[in-house]
């Protein structure tokens, strides 16, 4: 049974530098921090995430990204406090969209370069998988560039199977059942 995505704050994490990161659903109020996050990514991170060269999100992409369809999509962001005044800086985002039939979903994830190798993606992927499992989605899939060795190793670490894809030799399909994920 598929359910509408829940919203609002999900988790708080203590980071090694003393900051507290917040994991929450993205929303229409996040246009500025989402665009700033994408602009700030390195060329390589942007290419691995979007599989094309780009500077920033188009207005259409931005609107879509901050307004995921609650019936078939979800997007979780990780933020840290900025400037001590209640403002947030986005440091990671993970999202998925249900595939036709609603049995599986396709995900994508990206972490700000300065925050990589701190375990952010591990926690974000766990949250994304639990979120999807809680809606009754049975399998999570994603497309990863064959040259993205770090992501492919990370996927294996998380229990994803890596296979060739119908998109050609440069793009791998990663796939994992969600039956071991606790429901939200
Ligand atoms: C790939 C990416 C998401 C990883 O994000 P990250 O926050 O650096 O990931 P984590 O810190 O959670 O690292 C993964 C952790 O999982 C574990 N891990 C990953 N691969 C592992 C392996 N092969 N063996 C054992 N442990 C592994 C480790 O604990 C590792 O942390 P460490 O290497 O710092 O010890 C990030 O590099 C990124 O955003 N890349 C650009 C965008 C992208 O490629 N997106 C994928 C396409 S959708």
């Amino acid at each position: 049974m598929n359910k509408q995505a829940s919203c609002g704050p999900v988790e708080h994490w203590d980071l090694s530098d003393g900051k507290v990161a917040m994991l929450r659903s993205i929303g229409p109020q996040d246009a500025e921090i989402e665009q700033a996050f994408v602009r700030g990514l390195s060329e390589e991170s942007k290419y691995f995430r979007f599989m094309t060269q780009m500077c920033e999100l188009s207005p259409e992409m931005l609107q879509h990204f901050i307004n995921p369809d609650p019936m078939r999509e979800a997007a979780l962001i990780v933020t840290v406090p900025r400037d001590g005044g209640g403002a947030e800086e986005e440091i990671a985002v993970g999202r998925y969209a249900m595939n036709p039939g609603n049995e599986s979903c396709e995900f994508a994830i990206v972490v700000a370069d300065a925050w990589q190798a701190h375990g952010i993606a591990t926690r974000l992927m766990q949250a994304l998988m639990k979120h999807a499992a809680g809606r009754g989605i049975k399998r999570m899939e994603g497309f990863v560039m064959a040259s993205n060795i770090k992501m492919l190793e990370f996927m294996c670490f998380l229990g994803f199977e890596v296979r060739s894809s119908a998109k050609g030799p440069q793009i791998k399909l990663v796939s994992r059942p969600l039956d071991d994920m606790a429901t939200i």
Side-chain angles (χ1 to χ4, degrees):
M1 173 73 73
N2 292 308
K3 293 186 287 189
Q4 188 164 328
S6 58
C7 54
V10 181
E11 284 177 28
H12 289 90
W13 305 331
D14 291 323
L15 300 175
S16 52
D17 64 356
K19 283 185 176 166
V20 177
M22 179 166 60
L23 172 80
R24 64 173 175 82
S25 296
I26 205 165
Q29 73 282 4
D30 294 318
E32 205 176 308
I33 62 170
E34 170 74 359
Q35 188 65 281
F37 168 75
V38 172
R39 278 196 197 116
L41 291 170
S42 67
E43 293 303 313
E44 182 183 71
S45 288
K46 273 191 269 206
Y47 188 61
F48 281 155
R49 164 61 183 88
F50 298 105
M51 298 185 182
T52 183
Q53 303 287 354
M54 58 185 284
C55 296
E56 62 176 20
L57 298 172
S58 68
E60 295 76 21
M61 280 177 91
L62 180 58
Q63 281 309 308
H64 175 213
F65 278 12
I66 61 174
N67 294 291
D69 177 348
M71 296 309 293
R72 55 174 297 275
E73 298 177 329
L76 301 176
I77 57 171
V78 182
T79 69
V80 291
R82 192 185 62 193
D83 306 334
E88 293 173 271
E89 176 188 353
E90 185 177 322
I91 62 168
V93 59
R95 58 181 61 247
Y96 68 78
M98 288 186 202
N99 291 323
N102 299 341
E103 287 282 303
S104 66
C105 64
E106 181 181 332
F107 83 94
I109 187 169
V110 58
V111 177
D113 292 76
W115 290 91
Q116 291 179 10
H118 287 79
I120 305 280
T122 303
R123 300 176 89 153
L124 183 51
M125 281 301 301
Q126 293 284 351
L128 213 55
M129 289 191 287
K130 281 185 188 169
H131 195 286
R135 296 171 97 175
I137 298 171
K138 304 273 182 261
R139 174 170 290 275
M140 186 168 270
E141 299 175 344
F143 293 99
V144 179
M145 299 201 70
S147 57
N148 194 351
I149 303 301
K150 186 164 56 166
M151 181 65 179
L152 291 172
E153 286 183 1
F154 176 46
M155 290 289 94
C156 292
F157 168 70
L158 285 181
F160 280 74
E161 190 186 342
V162 179
R163 278 179 285 160
S164 54
S165 84
K167 292 178 187 275
Q170 290 180 334
I171 299 180
K172 299 286 186 189
L173 174 68
V174 298
S175 174
R176 184 194 194 284
L178 298 176
D179 46 12
D180 59 335
M181 289 287 132
T183 55
I184 51 172

